[in-house]
Amino acid sequence: MPERLFVCTPSKLGAYTDCPRRYRYSYVDRPVPPKGPPWAHNSLGASVHTALKNWYMLPAERRAPEALPTLLKATWVREGYRDVDQERAVYRRALDWLESYVATLDPEDEPLGVERVVAAKTAVLALNGRADRIDTRAGESGPEAVIVDYKTGRSGLSADDARGSQALALYAFATERMFRRPCRRVELHHLPTGTVVTHEHTEESLARQVRRAEETAQDIMAAEKAVAAGADPDAEFPVNPGTLCGWCDFRKVCPAGADAVAKEPWTAVEHLSPSTGQAGQSG
């Protein structure tokens, strides 16, 4: 019998790469172990992403910074903040980011896709994922597709972040096949600083990222088969302790995570509110 394709998203593959134990808790164990409280930085990111999606849903003549307060208020996710004062301060900062960002956009531009699901198959993968935005740009041989990914984290970005992102490479791989046009350029748009970092993939570099994804999928399938056959789940999905443990949704149920210093749900947005503190990384 032919091997069944591994159905996945880039985030699913990334969960295993970061920590096989977290992957198991998220995708293998049923029922799913209890998670910790919602994270404010996830709420912030989701709010900004949805506001930008809805900005592109407006007719071109209404795509102006003045539309953003209404859009952001309608999409605002309130979970995870320390208190109302912090939430309001972060909302104001997010609105500032959005107004500055859309001022750099041409409202007449119509992307190929906004929050668009792209999909492709390989000999191992049935891959799908949702790209923040897919632009069309003029290339040497005609129109080309460009992957745009929004970032709202505190940390600045470098070209290495764009080059090394497996998720962006897989989006490009799937987009090229769906739209039947070249898609080699990937961009990270960091809204807090207004910076854009880019990478131009080659056919070979995309193929390398796809091979890496296939190898990860094969490791996952082997571990899942072993557990189904009676192997120790802890041995097949080992923990990968490190700095990410304090941010893990499953910290309280994981033996390694229980020893990590817990992060408060609002830690990663503290630097955006008047009472600043030590902030962690947000995505």
Side-chain angles (χ1 to χ4, degrees):
M1 291 290 291
E3 191 74 43
R4 179 178 296 181
L5 297 180
F6 184 71
V7 180
C8 64
T9 62
S11 62
K12 187 175 182 179
L13 295 169
Y16 183 85
T17 301
D18 288 341
C19 179
R21 183 68 52 83
R22 180 162 72 92
Y23 176 93
R24 185 189 117 201
Y25 289 150
S26 297
Y27 298 103
V28 179
D29 287 0
R30 292 295 180 268
V32 177
K35 294 183 177 183
W39 299 97
H41 59 272
N42 287 342
S43 296
L44 169 61
S47 302
V48 168
H49 279 67
T50 308
L52 283 170
K53 178 191 76 171
N54 291 342
W55 189 81
Y56 272 107
M57 296 301 104
L58 295 173
E61 63 272 14
R62 292 180 54 201
R63 293 177 192 162
E66 292 74 22
L68 289 167
T70 299
L71 293 177
L72 184 60
K73 189 174 294 185
T75 67
W76 188 251
V77 181
R78 306 191 63 180
E79 297 178 319
Y81 295 99
R82 182 186 60 234
D83 50 37
V84 172
D85 288 342
Q86 184 186 61
E87 181 190 344
R88 288 174 176 168
V90 175
Y91 172 88
R92 288 192 292 270
R93 294 293 293 274
L95 184 58
D96 289 342
W97 299 345
L98 286 166
E99 289 174 341
S100 296
Y101 181 67
V102 302
T104 69
L105 303 176
D106 183 349
E108 299 292 333
D109 280 349
E110 295 294 344
L112 281 174
V114 176
E115 295 288 338
R116 175 63 187 266
V117 173
V118 293
K121 292 181 179 179
T122 74
V124 176
L125 304 172
L127 171 73
N128 71 87
R130 189 183 301 273
D132 290 346
R133 198 173 86 218
I134 305 172
D135 285 353
T136 183
R137 311 268 179 87
E140 292 182 0
S141 303
E144 296 181 354
V146 176
I147 301 298
V148 173
D149 193 65
Y150 308 128
K151 292 296 182 184
T152 58
R154 181 180 187 180
S155 297
L157 301 170
S158 72
D160 286 343
D161 294 302
R163 177 187 59 80
S165 171
Q166 184 180 77
L168 294 184
L170 294 178
Y171 291 146
F173 171 78
T175 296
E176 188 166 292
R177 278 146 186 78
M178 281 188 61
F179 288 96
R180 300 183 183 278
R181 65 173 64 183
C183 184
R184 304 294 169 80
R185 184 180 179 89
V186 297
E187 299 182 349
L188 292 172
H189 292 204
H190 190 239
L191 272 66
T193 58
T195 57
V196 174
V197 296
T198 69
H199 180 68
E200 292 282 348
H201 276 287
T202 63
E203 185 175 351
E204 292 75 19
S205 67
L206 287 181
R208 283 195 298 272
Q209 291 282 18
V210 171
R211 284 196 300 272
R212 281 182 51 212
E214 289 178 330
E215 290 165 359
T216 300
Q218 288 167 334
D219 289 342
I220 294 171
M221 289 188 288
E224 290 179 343
K225 284 181 180 178
V227 170
D232 179 5
D234 287 350
E236 297 300 325
F237 291 94
V239 69
N240 182 25
T243 57
L244 293 178
C245 288
W247 301 96
C248 183
D249 288 331
F250 302 105
R251 186 188 64 81
K252 290 185 177 180
V253 299
C254 177
D259 295 331
V261 177
K263 304 294 184 181
E264 297 289 357
W266 56 83
T267 297
V269 301
E270 281 184 328
H271 65 290
L272 299 176
S273 57
S275 54
T276 57
Q278 288 298 109
Q281 301 297 322
S282 57

